[in-house]
Amino acid sequence: MKKTLIHLFVAILFLSCSKNKKDNEINKKNSLKVVWAKGISTLDPACADGFESAEVSSQIYESLVGIDSKTGQKKHILATSHQNYADGLIWDFNIRKGVKFHDGTPMDAESVVFAFQRQIDGLKAIKEGRISSESCGYNYWKAYFTMIKSVKAVSKYKVRFKLNYNYAPFFKLLGFFTVGIVKPYKGQSDVLNKNPVGTGPFKFLSKQEGRVVLQRNENYWDKESIPNYKYLVFQTVADNRQRFLLLAGGNADIAHQLDPQRYRTLNLHPFLSIKKIKSVNVVYIALNTAKPPFSVLQNRLAANHTINRDKIVKLVYQGTAQIANLPIPPYLKIGNKPIYKTGKGGITWYDHNLSKAKALFEEGGMYEDEMVKSLDLYHIRSPRSILPNPGLMANLIKSDFAKVGIKVNIHSLPYSEYKKALAKGRHDMAIHAWIGDMRDPDNFLYGLLHSSTATNYAFFSNRRYNELVSKGRASVINKDRLKYYNDALQIFIKQVPWVPLAHASLVFSYSKRIKNLQVRTSTTSIYNLMKKIK
């Protein structure tokens, strides 16, 4: 026993000594610590998948443009100005001079070209079978950037984009974290996962299991936006209670994905607070339309009548979400006009009605011997920023289906396994949450429901729908876009590939020592503008 304790002590000593030496300098005064339920998947922005990876990538890398978090207006970041002509098929961006990567290498037009071209080449290599999509499928590029025909450096500080077709929200698109400007490298993209180098306000220091540490970029080009603390720490803490205790005990500054039942306690705490931010998002159940029983329309309608959405939203979100009736929230606009009408005479969804559900399941053949008598429901195991308790949600859904005589098998998986299962179509139903990165309907109606995208987990395929959302993304006339999207939404309502559940607020639980908490429209945090009071 004594030997065992000695060996254990030696092992602990070795592990502590093997940590990055600078990690030993980190303390409460010189750092801002964030705790969340799930770790990052990669430090390569082109391969990043999920909120956590986007959050960390957005601190290391910067995009050409963005949206001001306070005004909601377009702004330039690594670009200083732009022009578009040839009916919107050519865009020129003037690149900011004097910006350097974290290792001191100057950033110029060729750097920008590399950041885009590597994704064009990467997706092409996957399609041709030259590389595997296992580690990086360039899914964001496949879903949103295929209108880019070419990217070339016109001069040392000017980049020209040529498009295959006009794309209305192209400026917003270039603000995606996934096209953050990376330092050019040789070899595979795994280089960035091991040693990420960008131009952002924080630079990479270390990565261990469940922990990423960034350090203040003392040479950041925007001198007024250099943080007033030295280290930014992201720590994975799977247990909800432990995250809360770390925050309450002063050992964390921000805690993500806390159980909404703790919000009341946070509001009463003298040193803690919560901030609710209206986020453009949707939480929904994707019905797998590629196979029985949900390849049958009546069964999809029946599922919508079965689920008590009001009960789910009240119990899961505790007042921090509203019921969703469509894939896009009602407050998302085009040219300051709502995309669809709500309230009296506006769009409503199918009501919770078990009698209707049973009749439709009967009509759809659900109760017949040859049909599926149980359903497989998949959900991610860890809570998400807009999905705080996926397990509770899954069990409420299971209970609703039991009332119409249908068994539901719940599959709770880690994020990576969940995504693989959905890509292979193993699910009958899947609980999914999506945040719109650019506050545009294309982010939802095309990205989540067009038959060509990898994030269409309902495997919904409707030719007329595809045509309408393709026209909606290509038109630059707001009136026309509104018409195309309204027509597409009518098809969505009739074909019901989803059960829409909620539009959730993004809730930040944080220490009152943190001031100026700001979030981008893509709902990634602007940590360098936050001030930590010592």
Side-chain angles (χ1 to χ4, degrees):
M1 180 67 178
K2 191 174 181 180
K3 277 188 175 182
T4 303
L5 289 172
I6 292 172
H7 291 158
L8 180 60
F9 174 77
V10 171
I12 293 171
L13 184 64
F14 173 77
L15 285 172
S16 63
C17 291
S18 66
K19 288 174 63 178
N20 188 301
K21 287 183 180 179
K22 287 192 176 182
D23 276 7
N24 296 324
E25 300 175 8
I26 300 171
N27 56 56
K28 289 183 182 181
K29 291 183 178 180
N30 65 12
S31 67
L32 189 154
K33 186 174 182 179
V34 181
V35 291
W36 50 30
K38 183 184 79 66
I40 66 167
S41 58
T42 178
L43 289 169
D44 184 340
C47 310
D49 196 3
F51 161 74
E52 293 82 3
S53 295
E55 186 89 332
V56 177
S57 292
S58 296
Q59 316 311 318
I60 299 173
Y61 310 100
E62 297 175 295
S63 302
L64 291 178
V65 301
I67 304 295
D68 190 282
S69 62
K70 290 184 176 179
T71 66
Q73 300 300 309
K74 302 174 183 177
K75 71 174 184 178
H76 296 92
I77 300 176
L78 291 182
T80 55
S81 61
H82 74 280
Q83 308 82 37
N84 70 82
Y85 44 95
D87 293 327
L89 294 178
I90 297 177
W91 291 67
D92 286 348
F93 284 84
N94 295 306
I95 307 305
R96 189 178 297 278
K97 297 177 182 179
V99 177
K100 293 183 178 181
F101 288 105
H102 295 149
D103 65 353
T105 304
M107 188 275 297
D108 56 17
E110 291 293 350
S111 309
V112 175
V113 171
F114 177 86
F116 285 84
Q117 191 64 46
R118 75 187 185 104
Q119 300 194 55
I120 296 173
D121 295 342
L123 189 58
K124 183 180 179 182
I126 290 172
K127 289 180 178 178
E128 294 175 354
R130 290 185 281 116
I131 63 172
S132 170
S133 62
E134 187 71 22
S135 60
C136 184
Y138 300 100
N139 288 335
Y140 272 93
W141 187 274
K142 182 180 178 182
Y144 297 107
F145 293 88
T146 53
M147 82 293 294
I148 296 178
K149 183 178 183 179
S150 64
V151 189
K152 291 186 178 180
V154 178
S155 66
K156 188 171 179 62
Y157 291 103
K158 179 177 281 191
V159 173
R160 174 165 295 167
F161 292 86
K162 288 187 177 181
L163 309 186
N164 291 309
Y165 54 86
N166 208 329
Y167 182 65
F170 186 66
F171 184 96
K172 293 179 182 178
L173 185 73
L174 296 186
F176 264 33
F177 72 89
T178 191
V179 286
I181 308 305
V182 305
K183 181 193 171 186
Y185 59 84
K186 293 181 180 180
Q188 298 296 318
S189 63
D190 191 50
V191 169
L192 291 178
N193 189 33
K194 295 176 180 176
N195 184 33
V197 181
T199 63
F202 294 95
K203 57 185 181 180
F204 175 72
L205 181 62
S206 66
K207 183 176 78 167
Q208 298 164 342
E209 185 67 32
R211 179 181 167 93
V212 176
V213 180
L214 307 183
Q215 184 175 343
R216 177 173 63 200
N217 179 7
E218 303 287 357
N219 299 313
Y220 186 46
W221 61 269
D222 186 357
K223 301 301 180 185
E224 294 182 358
S225 299
I226 296 176
N228 74 336
Y229 53 91
K230 191 171 183 180
Y231 301 103
L232 177 58
V233 181
F234 297 94
Q235 184 77 46
T236 302
V237 180
D239 184 74
N240 188 296
R241 182 172 178 272
Q242 287 300 317
R243 291 197 302 281
F244 173 76
L245 290 175
L246 285 170
L247 182 65
N251 293 309
D253 298 294
I254 296 175
H256 285 293
Q257 301 126 1
L258 292 184
D259 191 323
Q261 293 184 6
R262 295 193 182 275
Y263 294 160
R264 179 175 172 79
T265 304
L266 283 164
N267 273 325
L268 296 173
H269 198 288
F271 305 119
L272 304 179
S273 187
I274 63 171
K275 184 174 183 177
K276 299 177 186 177
I277 296 171
K278 183 180 282 189
S279 168
V280 178
N281 64 65
V282 65
V283 180
Y284 63 97
I285 303 169
L287 305 175
N288 190 340
T289 65
K291 65 179 184 179
F294 294 124
S295 55
V296 178
L297 174 61
Q298 289 90 336
N299 291 329
R300 299 199 297 272
L301 287 165
N304 275 276
H305 285 300
T306 298
I307 295 173
N308 189 337
R309 301 182 307 135
D310 183 65
K311 182 179 179 180
I312 287 173
V313 170
K314 285 180 179 177
L315 291 178
V316 173
Y317 290 97
Q318 301 285 319
T320 61
Q322 66 182 71
I323 291 177
N325 289 321
L326 288 174
I328 51 178
Y331 43 84
L332 184 60
K333 299 179 179 180
I334 293 178
N336 293 321
K337 288 190 176 182
I339 296 167
Y340 60 92
K341 187 178 179 181
T342 58
K344 188 176 181 181
I347 288 177
T348 58
W349 197 246
Y350 302 95
D351 62 329
H352 173 55
N353 190 313
L354 297 181
S355 296
K356 285 183 183 178
K358 289 177 181 177
L360 283 163
F361 274 134
E362 188 73 44
E363 188 179 337
M366 187 67 189
Y367 299 123
E368 295 177 7
D369 290 340
E370 64 269 22
M371 290 295 289
V372 179
K373 286 191 174 180
S374 66
L375 300 171
D376 290 314
L377 172 65
Y378 282 72
H379 73 81
I380 181 174
R381 184 175 298 160
S382 301
R384 317 298 299 125
S385 56
I386 56 171
L387 188 57
N389 198 332
L392 173 59
M393 185 178 284
N395 278 290
L396 289 170
I397 293 166
K398 179 177 180 176
S399 176
D400 284 341
F401 274 94
K403 293 171 185 174
V404 293
I406 297 172
K407 181 183 177 184
V408 169
N409 306 309
I410 296 175
H411 302 265
S412 176
L413 301 176
Y415 189 73
S416 59
E417 292 181 29
Y418 162 84
K419 294 295 288 291
K420 288 176 184 177
L422 265 59
K424 293 177 181 179
R426 292 175 181 165
H427 61 292
D428 294 309
M429 303 183 291
I431 299 171
H432 200 64
W434 182 262
I435 297 175
D437 296 275
M438 59 180 181
R439 298 184 74 90
D440 192 273
D442 181 71
N443 209 187
F444 297 82
L445 300 182
Y446 188 94
L448 299 178
L449 287 157
H450 191 281
S451 60
S452 69
T453 67
T455 44
N456 177 3
Y457 297 124
F459 298 102
F460 178 56
S461 181
N462 181 285
R463 186 174 66 179
R464 179 58 180 157
Y465 178 91
N466 286 347
E467 289 173 356
L468 287 166
V469 294
S470 295
K471 287 180 178 179
R473 70 188 337 224
S475 176
V476 293
I477 300 172
N478 289 339
K479 184 179 178 181
D480 291 343
R481 293 194 82 201
L482 287 167
K483 177 69 166 61
Y484 293 137
Y485 288 137
N486 265 280
D487 289 348
L489 288 171
Q490 291 303 319
I491 294 174
F492 175 87
I493 292 168
K494 291 176 182 177
Q495 294 300 315
V496 285
W498 292 3
V499 181
L501 294 175
H503 302 301
S505 294
L506 191 70
V507 181
F508 280 80
S509 307
Y510 64 100
S511 165
K512 289 183 178 178
R513 290 160 61 87
I514 302 298
K515 304 296 180 182
N516 197 36
L517 193 150
Q518 288 192 36
V519 179
R520 297 180 180 90
T521 56
S522 60
T523 62
T524 54
S525 303
I526 312 176
Y527 287 105
N528 58 301
L529 295 186
M530 296 183 195
K531 303 298 182 183
K532 182 167 181 181
I533 308 302
K534 296 181 180 179

